[in-house]
Amino acid sequence: AQSVSQHNHHVILSEAASLELGCNYSYGGTVNLFWYVQYPGQHLQLLLKYFSGDPLVKGIKGFEAEFIKSKFSFNLRKPSVQWSDTAEYFCAVNRGSQGNLIFGKGTKLSVKP
Amino acid sequence: GAVVSQHPSRVICKSGTSVKIECRSLDFQATTMFWYRQFPKKSLMLMATSNEGSKATYEQGVEKDKFLINHASLTLSTLTVTSAHPEDSSFYICSARSSTGSTGELFFGEGSRLTVL
């Protein structure tokens, strides 16, 4: 079955540190890839997405992710985190534009001021 | 981006009662809506896919008679938890895909926290 793995359950960083959150998926065909963020007390919102083209995708708030097909990975990065980035981050994958999204278990990011 | 609204955001009910949660797409039409359940420290688990005007498709292990889903219009889907029990306490999230969209992006509601006493 298709699955999405996020390797880190909880990441704690100080402000200005660099961030990389891992995401791997198991499906071998064409996929669409997403990162969603859930700030405390708020609903899920899209951070960035990849469908095709340049494998380095830039999203909102300085986040970016790189799709590496050979590694089945779509890691999320940010060069310098801020306290306001404290949130839970979910990687998600779907096959085709109409399919359901399969989510990873999420990674909680805590940024210390 | 498109807006999806859920109501109520929090509900507390007694065991054995039924609770209805509404999911509305406010500024777009959604032919497909998805209902998820989010457990603490776990991923969002898809419960069912709701298509406007037809029966919902439930994921394996989800009781269709317990979690009734209705998608009567292009902007509204409802989830009714029937005869709720404490183990049904959870965070339920709906999401919707625009009927004109082709990117696969889902727009999420705020979620509804159900507590069954």
Side-chain angles (χ1 to χ4, degrees):
Chain A
Q2 186 177 3
S3 68
V4 179
S5 299
Q6 289 183 244
H7 314 298
N8 308 101
H9 174 63
H10 190 186
V11 173
I12 302 173
L13 295 173
S14 297
E15 275 195 314
S18 65
L19 169 73
E20 181 159 2
L21 301 182
C23 173
N24 287 88
Y25 60 95
S26 63
Y27 183 62
T30 301
V31 294
N32 301 317
L33 300 153
F34 305 79
W35 275 97
Y36 283 85
V37 59
Q38 188 172 28
Y39 296 102
Q42 297 186 28
H43 58 95
L44 280 166
Q45 53 187 289
L46 183 68
L47 205 54
L48 49 77
K49 60 189 176 187
Y50 171 81
F51 289 84
S52 63
D54 188 343
L56 185 61
V57 179
K58 295 195 183 295
I60 60 172
K61 304 185 181 185
F63 286 90
E64 65 179 32
E66 184 175 13
F67 170 52
I68 303 179
K69 190 174 182 179
S70 61
K71 295 184 178 181
F72 298 90
S73 69
F74 190 55
N75 292 355
L76 181 71
R77 299 194 293 247
K78 185 170 183 178
S80 176
V81 294
Q82 301 173 313
W83 176 78
S84 57
D85 294 324
T86 294
E88 189 145 16
Y89 293 82
F90 293 91
C91 181
V93 175
N94 80 342
R95 293 177 288 169
S97 62
Q98 300 307 312
N100 168 50
L101 285 183
I102 309 297
F103 284 86
K105 291 188 176 182
T107 298
K108 182 179 179 180
L109 172 64
S110 299
V111 180
K112 297 183 292 184
Chain B
V3 179
V4 174
S5 177
Q6 263 183 261
H7 178 79
S9 58
R10 294 178 184 272
V11 57
I12 301 172
C13 69
K14 292 182 180 180
S15 186
T17 61
S18 295
V19 175
K20 180 186 283 188
I21 301 170
E22 293 186 345
C23 177
R24 294 181 185 275
S25 55
L26 297 187
D27 52 0
F28 68 100
Q29 292 184 327
T31 50
T32 304
M33 288 185 172
F34 301 91
W35 285 95
Y36 292 86
R37 184 171 175 177
Q38 187 176 25
F39 295 93
K41 299 184 180 180
K42 290 191 176 182
S43 178
L44 284 82
M45 305 298 294
L46 179 67
M47 298 175 65
T49 301
S50 167
N51 292 299
E52 185 266 336
S54 62
K55 289 184 179 180
T57 304
Y58 289 81
E59 295 299 302
Q60 191 173 12
V62 177
E63 299 175 60
K64 61 177 71 175
D65 294 330
K66 180 167 189 61
F67 298 100
L68 300 179
I69 291 172
N70 184 277
H71 193 158
S73 77
L74 285 171
T75 59
L76 174 65
S77 176
T78 59
L79 167 67
T80 301
V81 183
T82 62
S83 186
H85 288 90
E87 58 265 30
D88 299 325
S89 298
S90 191
F91 195 58
Y92 294 88
I93 303 176
C94 75
S95 67
R97 175 177 291 128
S98 170
S99 59
T100 58
S102 60
T103 61
E105 177 184 352
L106 295 183
F107 300 97
F108 287 85
E110 312 95 301
S112 299
R113 180 159 306 280
L114 170 64
T115 303
V116 185
L117 302 176

